[in-house]
Amino acid sequence: MTTPTLLPAILQAVMKGQPVALGDRHYPHWHLAPVTGLLNDPNGFIHFQGRYHLFYQWNALGCQHQHKCWGHWSSADLTHWQHEPLALMPDEEYDRSGCYSGSAVDDNGRLTLCYTGNVKFDDGTRTAWQCLAVQNAEGGFDKLGPVVPLPGGYTGHVRDPKVWRYGEHWYMVLGAQDLERQGKVLLLRSENLWNWENLGEIAGSTLGGLGDAGYMWECPDLFMLDDKAILLCCPQGVTREEKRFLNTYPSAYLCGELDYDQAAYHHGPLVELDAGFEFYAPQTTLAEDGRRLLIGWMGVPDGEEMLQPTVAQGWIHQMTCPRELSLRDGKLCQQPVRELAALRGEAHHVDGTASVLSPLAAESLELMLESSGDVTLNVADTLRLDWTRDGLRLARRSLDTGEWLYRYWQGEVKRLHMLCDRSSIEIFINDGEGVMSSRYFPPSPAMLAFEGQAHLRLRYWSLRPCMVE
């Protein structure tokens, strides 16, 4: 049984909402954002037959977490994107409460989506199916139906399949919650994408020496990097620390070795992936040249998201910039993809005492910065970054109470690489050893001012818009 289609309402929402969103002064110049409504997790990030494909969780009908579809962009170079046909809508009985997150694979030349069909019942319970869809000749996707039912021993919170090929088999990691309300990651194996064997839990709360590490692990992504198995995850409910894991829901990673034969993952400690105010649900893919690329949602579920001023303009959230991953001294490092250099305008170089330097227009800016001592970067009196010998402290006011909120990166900071857009900033620390991604909403076009007596050395570019056609 199919449920009524949302397509007429989505078309009307786009026609009415797109001019309003694109006219909003907070709408990004060069980051990907929804044409209207709510965007959240990146899905199905893949390089397929010469183009990158990026799908995304999308509610075109409003800024609430409802009616989740899969929107779809594609690009040849990660800087020029085009809209593709809407990929998935919640119009079947097995996904009627939302086409939740998942991944994409190349199955013998067919672009195939693996996603979670979410079903909520009237009594407040839920179930989840892992489902397949395959691209058709028109560029849309035909649903093939569920292939993995809810496994025994888990609540209805089982979702976000990330699928890859290794040897003669397909493998899948799934985020899950067991009946004791502990977050887990499951590993499954298949010969054909249809018949899956659950190999068991490979990571999660109370496993691998972690202790209590949250009640639900969302958005797992497992991949190899320099002979190490990296597991990205979003451990909901992990204990907040004084200067770490401060977001409502954080994003983290584990680094270790995966034994496919024993379905065992031996790993080190849980490390926060991004120390800013907004970063969640990252997903990776392989570029044609072998680089491991990542893109994340510059948002966090719950928290203050619905207080953001863009909601009044009918849209909310954006993606991070695409990033290249590397391992350095056992740390997962992130840097902006080299392709973004194509957006640069003329290069500028400035040296001088911080407080004497002229402010920079920060609406669409790339900045590389070295400092001889303590300095504060003031972005439109809305966001402040204090750089001291102990590390970084990022500050902005609560959209609810007006109180100052803080995020931290601890350690010696040698240099910063910053990417600014109309309502976002991404701060890469020490060539990607750390990252702080955040949204902010200045009352007027943002200027970046420098405070303090330290000597600064700047290299910066204005950035051209990243067009979406």
Side-chain angles (χ1 to χ4, degrees):
M1 170 185 164
T2 59
T3 56
T5 179
L6 295 173
L7 193 55
I10 289 173
L11 288 172
Q12 183 185 36
V14 169
M15 288 186 285
K16 285 186 171 183
Q18 182 171 4
V20 181
L22 297 185
D24 184 3
R25 57 188 171 83
H26 295 309
Y27 197 85
H29 275 299
W30 62 271
H31 285 83
L32 291 168
V35 295
T36 192
L38 174 137
L39 166 150
N40 58 301
D41 305 6
N43 295 155
F45 190 25
I46 189 172
H47 188 268
F48 175 78
Q49 296 183 354
R51 292 187 71 81
Y52 291 96
H53 293 262
L54 180 63
F55 302 81
Y56 55 98
Q57 291 281 281
W58 184 36
N59 174 18
L61 304 182
C63 293
Q64 297 74 37
H65 287 278
Q66 299 172 335
H67 312 300
K68 293 295 178 66
C69 301
W70 276 37
H72 181 192
W73 295 299
S74 76
S75 172
D77 58 8
L78 297 171
T79 60
H80 299 85
W81 295 84
Q82 68 184 39
H83 293 291
E84 298 289 349
L86 185 63
L88 299 173
M89 290 187 295
D91 54 8
E92 297 290 343
E93 192 61 27
Y94 54 79
D95 61 16
R96 59 185 169 87
S97 303
C99 297
Y100 277 21
S101 292
S103 52
V105 295
D106 180 349
D107 181 22
N108 294 311
R110 296 183 303 170
L111 183 55
T112 303
L113 308 183
C114 313
Y115 73 99
T116 297
N118 187 47
V119 178
K120 295 179 180 178
F121 301 110
D122 293 339
D123 62 1
T125 61
R126 65 165 69 191
T127 191
W129 303 88
Q130 311 314 317
C131 309
L132 297 180
V134 64
Q135 192 169 35
N136 57 39
E138 289 74 43
F141 285 81
D142 298 324
K143 293 179 179 178
L144 303 181
V147 294
V148 180
L150 189 69
Y154 298 90
T155 73
H157 291 280
V158 176
R159 54 182 172 266
D160 311 334
K162 179 63 190 287
V163 179
W164 71 98
R165 185 85 182 177
Y166 177 78
E168 297 300 309
H169 292 90
W170 295 100
Y171 288 86
M172 174 194 294
V173 280
L174 269 177
Q177 181 187 71
D178 69 19
L179 297 180
E180 284 72 49
R181 302 296 195 269
Q182 296 290 310
K184 309 290 184 181
V185 174
L186 310 181
L187 180 67
L188 292 81
R189 181 175 61 199
S190 173
E191 294 182 357
N192 55 16
L193 292 178
W194 282 88
N195 306 108
W196 289 90
E197 176 189 5
N198 185 357
L199 302 179
E201 300 171 356
I202 59 166
S205 185
T206 73
L207 299 178
L210 290 186
D212 186 353
Y215 57 80
M216 174 64 193
W217 279 34
E218 291 194 317
C219 305
D221 187 347
L222 199 151
F223 56 89
M224 297 301 296
L225 196 62
D226 294 348
D227 298 322
K228 289 290 186 180
I230 308 295
L231 176 65
L232 307 185
C233 56
C234 294
Q236 297 187 332
V238 71
T239 302
R240 291 189 182 197
E241 301 175 12
E242 183 183 4
K243 293 187 176 181
R244 219 168 56 123
F245 298 128
L246 294 175
N247 287 343
T248 310
Y249 301 122
S251 188
Y253 74 90
L254 298 167
C255 179
E257 287 81 35
L258 177 65
D259 184 332
Y260 280 94
D261 294 329
Q262 300 297 319
Y265 182 47
H266 306 284
H267 58 78
L270 195 64
V271 182
E272 192 165 34
L273 189 56
D274 189 299
F277 285 98
E278 274 93 15
F279 182 88
Y280 200 73
Q283 191 170 101
T284 73
T285 193
L286 275 178
E288 196 167 24
D289 60 10
R291 286 175 295 157
R292 177 62 60 170
L293 306 184
L294 173 148
I295 196 162
W297 168 34
M298 210 183 296
V300 174
D302 301 331
E304 296 188 349
E305 60 175 336
M306 293 306 159
L307 300 178
Q308 294 181 10
T310 68
V311 172
Q313 306 301 311
W315 71 279
I316 186 171
H317 298 313
Q318 65 178 54
M319 294 299 180
T320 68
C321 75
R323 302 171 180 181
E324 302 181 15
L325 300 183
S326 60
L327 267 184
R328 202 161 65 235
D329 301 324
K331 293 181 180 178
L332 184 62
C333 297
Q334 308 173 60
Q335 292 178 282
V337 290
R338 60 199 67 175
E339 286 88 343
L340 289 179
L343 301 179
R344 290 173 178 171
E346 182 182 350
H348 300 271
H349 301 261
V350 176
D351 276 68
T353 302
S355 59
V356 177
L357 296 179
S358 298
L360 302 178
E363 277 223 308
S364 193
L365 175 72
E366 180 177 4
L367 170 67
M368 295 184 178
L369 178 65
E370 296 180 14
S371 174
S372 66
D374 295 357
V375 64
T376 293
L377 279 60
N378 180 348
V379 190
D381 291 324
T382 307
L383 194 77
R384 294 177 65 86
L385 180 68
D386 297 315
W387 177 358
T388 67
R389 67 187 64 190
D390 301 321
L392 300 173
R393 184 182 77 167
L394 186 64
R396 74 175 186 200
R397 292 189 185 275
S398 165
L399 294 173
D400 183 19
T401 66
E403 298 175 13
W404 284 101
L405 305 174
Y406 301 99
R407 296 293 182 267
Y408 305 88
W409 190 86
Q410 301 172 83
E412 181 187 4
V413 179
K414 299 171 183 174
R415 64 190 68 85
L416 298 180
H417 183 181
M418 297 168 54
L419 295 173
C420 304
D421 208 334
R422 280 172 154 179
S423 57
S424 68
I425 188 167
E426 293 168 270
I427 304 162
F428 297 85
I429 306 154
N430 299 341
D431 303 314
E433 180 186 350
V435 193
M436 304 179 87
S437 302
S438 293
R439 299 294 302 283
Y440 74 105
F441 303 97
S444 57
M447 300 296 291
L448 169 60
F450 307 96
E451 302 172 3
Q453 298 308 304
H455 183 88
L456 300 185
R457 187 163 60 198
L458 311 181
R459 204 156 42 113
Y460 64 94
W461 303 260
S462 63
L463 297 177
R464 287 184 284 272
C466 176
M467 298 307 294
V468 181
E469 298 172 350

